Amino acid sequence: MASGGSRLAVLAALVANSTIAVAKFFTFLITGSAAMLAECIHSVADSSNQGLLLYGGRAARQPADVSHPFGRGKEVYFWSFLVAVMLFFGGGVWAFLHGWEAIGHAEPLGDLTPSFIVLGLALALESISFGVALREFNRHRGTKPMWRAIRESKDASLIVILLEDTAAMLGLIFALAGTAMASITGDSRWDGAASLLIGVMLAVVAVLLAAEIKALLIGEAAGRQERALIRAVLVGMDEVTGVGRLLTMHLGPDDLLVNVEVDFVESLGTPEIAEAITKAERAIREKIPVAGNIFVEPYDRDSV
């Protein structure tokens, strides 16, 4: 979690979810609502997840050392992937099983007025958290379509918070609908059905998150625009006649590894090539500030 925007989104979500989790738990004790308990567990899981993201972000900022020469940037990807796993099992599976139990063994519900109050308050707080995450995400995505920007984003923390907040708002809507139907009909199975829906929705979001973060954890290249920009910068140099193989990999949201083969003007001597390499590295870093480790290798004509 290298960007300040990611940390802001995580902190906003942590404050909102911690507050909401406490309110939901006491409301469950009063009403006995299955949907409310599912939402309480959902908020507790989300709060734990945000704690993991904050820890992962701090660990990712540790400087490079002998054991980790490229730094620990991928720490944030590991902890984000763990968040997806926890969201699936700690939120989705549990809520589904609890809803199934509530439907099979329906029990009378108490006064549901506190549930409506807390769910409405939770929806307002989640809307604020979601607004922070969406504003930061839109700032980075520019004019890209939403889903394409999610697929191409390298900031795992921001993706997690955005999708978690989306899931939280949908879960609250399901809980409100289930509670309303249970109140109108007097049938508590509607409450259990809401818990089932929340569980399925959380599982789907968790699988989407895991798929996206897995690619980053394994090692994902820079986007096409960044790769094209690197080639354009090099080709634009007077000392360069061509660009060969270009390899890139994100070591973190704001840490890009670049390895590129460059065909320098044949008349250049060793000192001039060394100066050209330094110039090339500086030019790449000016255009792509997240390029931390850059390795420019002269094209070996003898190997052809």
Side-chain angles (χ1 to χ4, degrees), residues 198-271:
I198 291 169
V200 172
M201 181 265 300
L202 289 177
V204 170
V205 170
V207 170
L208 289 175
L209 275 176
E212 289 301 312
I213 296 170
K214 184 194 75 170
L216 294 169
L217 188 59
I218 293 172
E220 198 169 76
R224 285 179 293 180
Q225 291 182 345
E226 288 80 7
R227 297 198 303 272
L229 183 57
I230 291 172
R231 290 186 178 276
V233 167
L234 294 173
V235 171
M237 293 176 56
D238 296 334
E239 300 89 341
V240 175
T241 59
V243 178
R245 186 174 60 170
L246 171 61
L247 303 176
T248 62
M249 183 172 66
H250 268 274
L251 303 176
D254 293 339
D255 188 3
L256 180 65
L257 171 68
V258 178
N259 185 284
V260 59
E261 289 182 345
V262 176
D263 191 8
F264 290 104
V265 174
E266 192 169 357
S267 61
L268 293 179
T270 301

Side-chain angles (χ1 to χ4, degrees), residues 118-177:
V118 170
L119 288 173
L121 175 63
L123 191 59
L125 290 175
E126 287 289 0
S127 298
I128 295 173
S129 175
F130 176 77
V132 173
L134 184 61
R135 184 180 70 246
E136 294 301 327
F137 185 76
N138 286 337
R139 188 165 60 87
H140 290 289
R141 78 181 177 102
T143 59
K144 293 180 182 177
M146 178 68 74
W147 182 244
R148 179 186 167 191
I150 291 175
R151 294 295 304 272
E152 295 181 359
S153 176
K154 313 303 179 186
D155 194 337
S157 297
L158 198 53
I159 296 174
V160 169
I161 293 301
L162 182 65
L163 292 184
E164 265 194 355
D165 285 351
T166 302
M169 293 184 68
L170 287 175
L172 288 167
I173 292 171
F174 293 157
L176 276 169

